[in-house]
Amino acid sequence: MTDSSLYSLIWMSRPLMQAAEASVEAGLSGTGLTVRMRAVLEMLHAHGDQTVPEIAQRLEIKRQYVQLMVNETGAAGLTEPRANPRHKRSPLLSLTETGRALIDGVVARERALVDRIGADLDPAEVDAALRIVQTLTTRLKSHAKDMP
């Protein structure tokens, strides 16, 4: 491996994420969801009821921004707050039946797309790529924390 290959791999993350976001956004057409609303629904779909701080931690974004996202999903009737036995001032956020049905459909369409675009990729190479990206992400985060 050359240094320039690793450098290129790291910087390809931006166009990859932009293409993924554009594809996700196109897949949301007609659902009434925005990409950021979808992110909240995805977290609740994947991990169950959560507080705003828990969602923020998983998405690695500021809690205040997640609160805006949660406000949108609540106003659309896709999520609802529930009592949190662990913390009185930080309610658990839950999917409503409408929200669950909507995110189930979105995730199913996205998984079908991933199956189509990845049909000719070697699963071992995909696993290796995933391990490399995870390692690079961890190392770059650690480096950023160590900087003055």
Side-chain angles (χ1 to χ4, degrees), residues 81-94:
R82 301 234 169 133
N84 181 352
R86 296 174 302 174
H87 196 289
K88 290 186 183 222
R89 293 188 342 177
S90 187
L92 290 170
L93 190 65
S94 299

